[in-house]
Structure formats: structure tokens, C-alpha cells
Amino acid sequence: MKKLIVSLAVSAILLLVFQSFVFKTAPAPDIPADVNEILKTSCYGCHTQESSSKKAKIALNFDKWDDYKDTKKISKLDAICEVISKDKMPPEKYLKDSPEKALSDDQKVAVCSWTDKEATKLMGGN
Amino acid sequence: MRKAVKIAGLILAGAFFIAQFIQPDKNLQEQASEHDLVSTLEVPDQLANLLKNSCYDCHSNHTRYPWYSKISPLSWYLYKHIEEGKEALNFSEFGLLEKRKMISGLSGVCELIESGSMPLVSFTLIHRDARLDEDEQRIICEWSEAEAGKLLKSGPGS
């Protein structure tokens, strides 16, 4: 009986560890599914580790999110809302070839309310 | 042919001469602002001097204008940078920002200095003394990260 409990506990732990490896692809900040979908379509192409644009990766890399200091996270969250609100991102040149990656007004609101919520949380508010 | 070159030269010289009378507004608020970065945060003198020397020409309400910066069209080029620079971050009005914006600004200071984006290269090409060496970059970065961290720790209030 004891053996069974121990082995169950051990496999549960292994499963948890395993999961955290397998599901690593979802980037680190607490991103709701709809926002994640928008970012995946319009932003991850340039702003994740696999991106070929070094400049974009230096400016913002979602795969490195966990390594960012909280102050940098706040700064980047606010920058994300700012650049999409001012139509600076995705870059105009890129949208010429893929106009479907432009964000609609609703999508901008969804992303900005997420960035605002996260930044407020990091600031210690609710 | 030689005549055409001469005339073209004269027109250019004339245009250059006239352009000197069309000058942008100057960014020259005299009194120090009570909302300036140095009155808002703890800024050691050495640091204040570094920032004033390398950043304040575009990021404050007071620009130092060396003689060549008064020559049109260079003066317009600088004017545009001052307008955009102040809009992005104005150290003279730093104290008026919400805390969250202060943190973003400070985080950006270190990031852009480290990546070599600031001060703008087009500026340091002629303003040689505004360049920051590695020690100076490190000093500014350590300070701005520490100040941002302090602001964050002090809680969500404005």
C-alpha cells in the first residue's frame, strides 16, 4: 500500500515536471487565449527567439519574458499598447505584404486591456 | 556649360543664404524646472552632469546650441530631434509623470544606452563630447535600474 502511494506521488511529480517542459511554448506572461491568438498572428513572427530580426528580438522577445526585470516588463507592456495604438506595429512595410495581420480596433482594445491589467498587477495594485 | 554651373552655384548659394533667415523656434527655457529629474529622484552630481551633457539637448526644455547648430538646414534637423525627443521623454518634466511612466522611462534609459541607440549617433558624430564610454554607460544603467526598482517597491500610488 505504502509503495503504491509513493509511486503514485512520484509519478504525479514527474508528470508535472514533464508538463512544464512540454507546454513551454506558451510564452510566459499571463496571456488570455484571445490575446495570445492576436499576438501569435501579428507579433510572434518577429518577437520570439526564432525570429530572424535581431533588432526586433532585442526590442521585445516574448521567449525571454521571464528573464525581464519587473520594471522592464512594465515598460514593455506599456510599449506594446502604445505601438499598436499608434499603428507603429506591426510595421507598415510588413503589412503591405500581409494586410491580414493588421489589428482591428477590437483587437487593439483586447491587447491594451490585457497589458494594462498586467502592468497594474506588477505595480502592486489590483 | 561653365555658365550653367556658375548659375546653378549662385542659385544654391542664394538659397542657402536665404535659408539662414528661416529658423525654427529655439528650445531655451531658462529657469530650472521644479519638476526636473534632478529634483524628483536622487541624482548624484556626476550622473546629473552625464545626463545633461549627453541627453538634455534633446530631452529637456533647454538645449545648448553650438554655432553650427544654428546653420539651416542643420538647425531644422536638430529641431525635429528635440521635438520628438521631448515627446518621448522630457527630463525637465519628469516629476509630472505617473509613477508607472517614470519606471518605463528609466527602464528605457538603460536599455537604449546599452543598445547604443542613445544618444543618437547622428548627434554624437558632431557632438563628440556627448558620447558615453563604457564606464559612463554602466554608471547610468546601474543608477536608472536602481531608481526604477525603488519606485516599483514604493507601491502602486501615483
Side-chain angles (χ1 to χ4, degrees), chain B residues 38-52:
Chain B
V38 298
S39 343
T40 309
L41 301 176
E42 268 173 59
V43 190
D45 285 348
Q46 182 199 11
L47 227 122
N49 288 335
L50 281 177
L51 295 177
K52 286 197 171 131

Side-chain angles (χ1 to χ4, degrees), chain A residues 58-60 69-76 78 82 86 115-117 119-120 122-125, chain B residues 87 99-101 103-105 107-108 111 114-115 145 147-152 154-157:
Chain A
I58 291 174
L60 174 66
K69 289 197 182 104
D70 282 354
T71 48
K72 184 162 177 176
K73 288 180 184 165
I74 291 168
S75 158
K76 290 301 167 188
D78 283 340
E82 188 179 329
K86 292 189 180 164
T115 55
D116 189 48
K117 204 171 114 206
T120 309
L122 286 167
M123 287 292 297
Chain B
E87 194 194 316
K99 198 185 271 180
R100 191 158 127 191
K101 283 265 160 59
I103 291 173
S104 292
S107 170
E111 183 182 332
E114 261 183 347
S115 70
E145 297 273 291
E147 286 298 318
K150 268 198 254 170
L151 283 169
L152 181 58
S154 67

Side-chain angles (χ1 to χ4, degrees), chain A residues 39-56:
Chain A
L39 299 182
K40 200 159 111 193
T41 307
S42 302
C43 318
Y44 290 166
C46 296
H47 290 292
T48 53
Q49 201 54 33
E50 297 91 62
S51 165
S52 55
S53 165
K54 226 174 136 191
K55 259 177 101 179

Side-chain angles (χ1 to χ4, degrees), chain B residues 39-140:
Chain B
S39 343
T40 309
L41 301 176
E42 268 173 59
V43 190
D45 285 348
Q46 182 199 11
L47 227 122
N49 288 335
L50 281 177
L51 295 177
K52 286 197 171 131
N53 198 37
S54 298
C55 320
Y56 270 54
D57 284 326
C58 299
H59 290 290
S60 82
N61 291 338
H62 188 94
T63 303
R64 298 164 301 172
Y65 290 96
W67 65 268
Y68 49 82
S69 70
K70 295 176 185 151
I71 301 170
S72 178
L74 210 61
S75 53
W76 286 97
Y77 188 65
L78 180 63
Y79 174 75
K80 187 170 151 271
H81 281 152
I82 295 169
E83 291 289 295
E84 288 174 7
K86 276 168 69 173
E87 194 194 316
L89 184 62
N90 185 345
F91 287 126
S92 298
E93 288 163 14
F94 192 83
L96 297 172
L97 297 174
E98 334 167 16
K99 198 185 271 180
R100 191 158 127 191
K101 283 265 160 59
M102 290 184 183
I103 291 173
S104 292
L106 289 167
S107 170
V109 165
C110 177
E111 183 182 332
L112 296 190
I113 287 177
E114 261 183 347
S115 70
S117 326
M118 287 289 150
L120 289 178
V121 174
S122 61
F123 182 75
T124 49
L125 275 180
I126 36 178
H127 255 91
R128 308 299 285 181
D129 66 335
R131 276 179 307 174
L132 298 168
D133 64 30
E134 264 175 41
D135 278 343
E136 293 168 332
Q137 291 184 352
R138 193 179 37 81
I139 291 168
I140 299 179

